[in-house]
Amino acid sequence: MGDSNGITRKEALRHAMATLDSHGIPDAPLEAEILLMAVLGVDRERLYSRDDGVLSHQEARSYEALLYRRLKREPTAYILGFKEFYGLRFQISPQVLIPRPETELLVEKAIDFLSRHFSAGRDRPLVADVGTGCGAMAVTLAYCLPYLQVYATDISQAALEVATQNRLQHGLADRVRFLQGDLLAPVPEPVDLIVANLPYVKIADFAGLAPELSYEPRLALAAGPQGLDAIAALLAQASRKLRPKGAILLEIGQDQGTAVAEFARLYFHNAEIRIWQDLGGQNRVVEIDS
């Protein structure tokens, strides 16, 4: 846009959409809108209700700066500093993985399991969220189920600092406890449900991923030659940290269902194992009912 004094919102959007699209940015119109809404501090309705409004010099320069960052393939969520997940807003930073829509299926299955097996007001089930990152799953589950207590672990202290901010933001300091350590090791007692969105990208596939992923912590994405190192390690620990009739819910890559089910049977011989598909029809969650 350059020194675009006098440019209207509509003109700025049109230019931004074309620029983002020409650089291969997915969903360029939506991205352009989101970034301009962030600059102006308005929602989409207010953005378009005054699309003939003229941007100030500072607004135009700020918008140009955000667009430049996006053209370098920095994820929009890092540019904004937050991400919506399951209807809640979470602060994020490059120290944590950006919450994905497909992980909402993991939350849905966890809520379904807990709602079927425990009664609000009578039971106080325990959940362990392993590799919590920004705390999205732990906080969302505690927010949706007021009778729940959650242990949430991560090996990264920087990630737990972000998660702590999100716990405080949603008023859950008394029901979500963050613990630093490897997988289930820091969890002090057996729990009723283990949920985990662990790294599951194969090392060989990492270089071919979208450029945006280079901004995210590799520790939270890649997990050995088959992408299963972290999941296998968790399952090896899980029998000691799971109460009778407990369950494990794991997010997986689309081609990993059979392999994860085989790992699960090594440690849970009589478990009922289900593989759930996401909205795109891809295998996404493995449920292990012990």
Side-chain angles (χ1 to χ4, degrees):
M1 289 184 290
D3 294 326
S4 47
N5 290 331
I7 191 170
T8 66
R9 294 181 180 184
K10 182 187 295 184
E11 291 167 339
L13 275 173
R14 186 183 302 120
H15 173 80
M17 289 175 183
T19 301
L20 291 170
D21 185 63
S22 69
H23 284 75
I25 304 296
D27 301 317
L30 178 60
E31 295 268 345
E33 291 174 353
I34 290 172
L35 294 176
L36 186 53
M37 288 188 291
V39 168
L40 300 176
V42 300
D43 59 19
R44 193 172 188 274
E45 181 179 355
R46 290 177 62 196
L47 176 67
Y48 281 101
S49 67
R50 292 193 54 214
D51 64 359
D52 58 346
V54 176
L55 298 183
S56 69
H57 178 72
Q58 183 57 50
E59 288 169 343
R61 292 297 297 270
S62 296
Y63 191 34
E64 188 172 10
L66 297 191
L67 289 169
Y68 177 73
R69 291 172 66 181
R70 189 65 188 99
L71 290 173
K72 292 178 67 178
R73 305 305 289 257
E74 182 177 354
T76 302
Y78 288 152
I79 296 172
L80 300 178
F82 68 84
K83 179 70 175 179
E84 302 287 336
F85 179 81
Y86 214 80
L88 300 174
R89 176 172 290 192
F90 291 90
Q91 298 179 48
I92 64 163
S93 77
Q95 282 68 51
V96 298
L97 194 71
I98 299 169
R100 267 55 170 190
E102 53 265 32
T103 304
E104 294 186 355
L105 177 62
L106 197 57
V107 173
E108 291 171 6
K109 293 303 176 184
I111 290 174
D112 178 65
F113 173 84
L114 293 164
S115 299
R116 284 187 287 110
H117 289 83
F118 300 95
S119 301
R122 290 194 303 156
D123 299 316
R124 304 288 287 181
L126 290 174
V127 171
D129 172 26
V130 183
T132 193
C134 73
M137 269 203 298
V139 168
T140 299
L141 288 173
Y143 184 90
C144 292
L145 300 175
Y147 53 88
L148 199 62
Q149 294 285 334
V150 183
Y151 294 117
T153 75
D154 205 289
I155 200 167
S156 167
Q157 180 59 38
L160 292 178
E161 289 171 4
V162 176
T164 298
Q165 295 173 17
N166 287 316
R167 178 183 65 180
L168 294 174
Q169 176 181 320
H170 293 289
L172 294 166
D174 60 332
R175 293 196 294 113
V176 178
R177 180 180 172 188
F178 292 119
L179 304 163
Q180 186 178 9
D182 186 35
L183 302 175
L184 285 163
V187 176
E189 60 184 315
V191 300
D192 299 287
L193 176 66
I194 296 168
V195 295
N197 177 19
L198 295 172
Y200 55 75
V201 176
K202 300 173 185 176
I203 293 291
D205 293 344
F206 196 81
L209 297 177
E212 284 81 357
L213 288 169
S214 67
Y215 285 84
E216 299 196 59
R218 182 165 178 155
L219 184 66
L221 289 166
Q226 302 304 316
L228 296 172
D229 287 7
I231 290 174
L234 172 67
L235 290 171
Q237 296 178 1
S239 62
R240 301 187 299 274
K241 293 294 177 77
L242 196 63
R243 289 175 172 174
K245 298 184 179 180
I248 304 169
L249 289 164
L250 304 169
E251 182 169 326
I252 60 166
Q254 63 187 44
D255 60 347
Q256 295 173 334
T258 299
V260 172
E262 290 175 355
F263 273 125
R265 290 190 180 96
L266 291 175
Y267 303 103
F268 299 92
H269 306 295
N270 299 316
E272 183 176 354
I273 299 173
R274 303 181 185 86
I275 300 174
W276 300 99
Q277 294 183 332
D278 60 23
L279 293 176
Q282 304 293 337
N283 290 341
R284 187 60 58 195
V285 171
V286 172
E287 178 176 351
I288 305 158
D289 291 322
S290 65

